[in-house]
Amino acid sequence: MRKPRTTIKPRTIKPRTVRPRTIRPRAVRSRKAGLPAALAAVAALALAAGCSGSGGKGAEDKPSGGAGVRPVDTPRMTIGMVSHAGEGDTFWDIVQNGAEQAARKDNVKFLYANDKEGGKQAELVQSYLDQKVDGLIVTLAKPQALAAVVRKAVAQGVPVITINSGGQFSARYGALTHIGQDETVAGRAVGEELNKRGRKKALCVVHEQGNVSLEDRCAGVRATFSGRVENLNVDGTNAPASQSSVQARLQSDRDIDAVVTLGAPMAAIAGKARDEAGSKARIGTFDLNPSVVGLLKKKDIDFAVDQQPYLQGYEAVDLLWLHKANGNVLGGGKPVLTGPAVVTGKDVPKLEEYTGRGTR
């Protein structure tokens, strides 16, 4: 008797899902993915402890752990960040590095846009709301300009985390929390550092007029410094003009023996201005980048205040993911502080490694 023939079932081929491309708003700056394996390990440990980028088309097309990190299996979400960064401000490259690393780990599509004008920042936030993002990260350097759109986002059920600046307005506008440093406290630390070094008159260089955080920094310096403090407003996006302004002030007032710059790129500019003016003023700065570490190493500047921008980007993305995945909120109504920490030449060996990979 012949055996019956076995029926072979046809193979089912699943259709490929094509993800629509998102049109990014203007002023978006993409970043290259991929940080060292050491950072991937840090990210994995943070996830295991329960506390926990975009860039390139591949990041939009499919989730990727990057740097050997396996992304979580929670549903894909989209987070947009809008900052007040001006062109050439390397501080925000570090913030984005942190945000992108967390995004790769958390299965997040990360979008970034920036503009130094408050009204334009509000438009960028609105453009992300129009794209139906799952969460927003914003800076409040010009808080009044962002108030309405941040409140609108919260009213629509889009969670918001503020970072870096305007922390005193964060809860008022309905944000989940604020991540950054207390700028007045940071300024006070600088004033005390100047006292230790015996300075008598300081020039506080404000590179973005109207930025509340920069004003708070100078006010903090003034509060603890036993000498005199003078503010000087410059256009931080115009290096030659900024250098000329600082140089002219140092030439006209030889009593100035300290220059405090409020952002890392301004430190080198102030150094050139001092040299051209023939001044003996010493320089201290807020924030780090490879150039500042080099200046510390050469003793061209005395100290820098580190507020750990990498953490601001990383924790903001991670907290939005945790909020959606597990209903978590950090801070208890208070800011999550990432600084200040005063670093000097003795810290250079470690700082060179970290700044070289874009994480400090």
Side-chain angles (χ1 to χ4, degrees), residues 10 14 39 50 60 63 85 93 101 112 149 151 153 212 220 238 297 331 333 335-336 358:
K14 295 182 179 180
L39 287 180
E60 296 181 2
D93 295 339
Q101 178 69 10
Y112 176 79
V149 74
R151 286 176 171 142
V212 294
N238 188 333
K297 188 174 185 177
V336 177

Side-chain angles (χ1 to χ4, degrees), residues 186-208:
R188 287 174 174 268
V190 169
E192 293 169 354
E193 189 70 23
L194 294 176
N195 289 335
K196 292 177 184 177
R197 297 173 183 275
R199 307 300 171 214
K200 302 300 181 183
K201 186 172 183 179
L203 185 68
C204 195
V205 183
V206 182
H207 60 267
E208 184 183 346

Side-chain angles (χ1 to χ4, degrees), residues 19 26 46 57 87 96 101 142 144 146 174-175 183 191 196 200 205 214 217 219 240-241 244 261 263 311 326 341 344:
R19 298 179 183 271
R26 60 184 175 178
K57 186 174 182 299
E87 294 304 315
Q96 289 177 76
Q101 178 69 10
K142 308 287 177 61
Q144 285 72 30
L146 277 295
E183 303 295 2
K196 292 177 184 177
K200 302 300 181 183
V205 183
L214 302 186
R217 289 178 180 182
S244 295
T261 60
L311 276 184
N326 203 45
T344 63

Side-chain angles (χ1 to χ4, degrees), residues 8 11 27 71 80 92 110 117 122 139 149 155 186 194 221 233 268 278 293 309 333:
I8 300 175
R11 184 180 178 185
W92 292 99
F110 174 70
E117 298 297 332
T139 63
V149 74
L194 294 176
V221 175
N233 290 306
V293 174

Side-chain angles (χ1 to χ4, degrees), residues 48-337:
C51 181
S52 81
S54 80
K57 186 174 182 299
E60 296 181 2
D61 288 343
K62 61 181 180 180
S64 173
V69 176
R70 183 187 298 270
V72 297
D73 60 0
T74 50
R76 184 78 157 157
M77 62 184 293
T78 301
I79 293 174
M81 177 189 289
V82 175
S83 84
H84 60 276
E87 294 304 315
D89 191 342
T90 55
F91 177 93
W92 292 99
D93 295 339
I94 305 171
V95 174
Q96 289 177 76
N97 282 342
E100 290 163 1
Q101 178 69 10
R104 286 190 289 274
K105 177 181 69 68
D106 293 340
N107 193 19
V108 166
K109 178 179 178 180
F110 174 70
L111 308 175
Y112 176 79
N114 64 288
D115 199 292
K116 67 177 183 177
E117 298 297 332
K120 297 292 181 61
Q121 293 163 36
E123 291 176 8
L124 291 168
V125 173
Q126 181 59 57
S127 74
Y128 283 151
L129 288 178
D130 293 341
Q131 292 182 49
K132 308 297 183 184
V133 295
D134 300 294
L136 283 167
I137 303 166
V138 300
T139 63
L140 296 178
K142 308 287 177 61
Q144 285 72 30
L146 277 295
V149 74
V150 170
R151 286 176 171 142
K152 179 180 179 180
V154 173
Q156 292 180 358
V158 179
V160 178
I161 286 180
T162 62
I163 64 169
N164 182 258
S165 54
Q168 63 269 45
F169 300 94
S170 181
R172 191 184 312 175
Y173 294 170
L176 293 176
T177 193
H178 178 79
I179 302 174
Q181 71 180 1
D182 185 308
E183 303 295 2
T184 301
V185 171
R188 287 174 174 268
V190 169
E192 293 169 354
E193 189 70 23
L194 294 176
N195 289 335
K196 292 177 184 177
R197 297 173 183 275
R199 307 300 171 214
K200 302 300 181 183
K201 186 172 183 179
L203 185 68
C204 195
V205 183
V206 182
H207 60 267
E208 184 183 346
Q209 194 168 0
N211 184 324
V212 294
S213 293
L214 302 186
E215 294 169 356
D216 287 346
R217 289 178 180 182
C218 288
V221 175
R222 189 173 285 106
T224 56
F225 182 42
S226 58
R228 292 175 291 163
V229 178
E230 175 187 330
N231 287 14
L232 176 67
N233 290 306
V234 301
D235 180 1
T237 62
N238 188 333
S242 296
Q243 180 178 328
S244 295
S245 296
V246 176
Q247 181 177 330
R249 193 70 197 95
L250 292 176
Q251 287 174 329
S252 64
D253 189 348
R254 296 294 179 178
D255 290 336
I256 296 173
D257 59 0
V259 178
V260 178
T261 60
L262 305 182
M266 285 302 302
I269 293 171
K272 292 177 182 177
R274 175 196 58 193
D275 295 343
E276 290 294 326
S279 170
K280 294 183 179 180
R282 299 301 300 169
I283 296 171
T285 190
F286 285 77
D287 303 331
L288 287 175
N289 65 10
S291 173
V292 166
V293 174
L295 293 171
L296 286 170
K297 188 174 185 177
K298 293 188 295 183
K299 302 186 186 306
D300 282 349
I301 66 174
D302 288 343
F303 63 89
V305 178
D306 182 20
Q307 62 171 305
Q308 301 185 102
Y310 180 88
L311 276 184
Q312 293 177 15
Y314 186 98
E315 291 300 333
V317 169
D318 216 29
L319 288 180
L320 284 172
W321 171 75
L322 280 167
H323 181 69
K324 182 172 183 178
N326 203 45
N328 295 120
V329 178
L330 285 184
K334 301 292 184 180
V336 177
L337 299 181

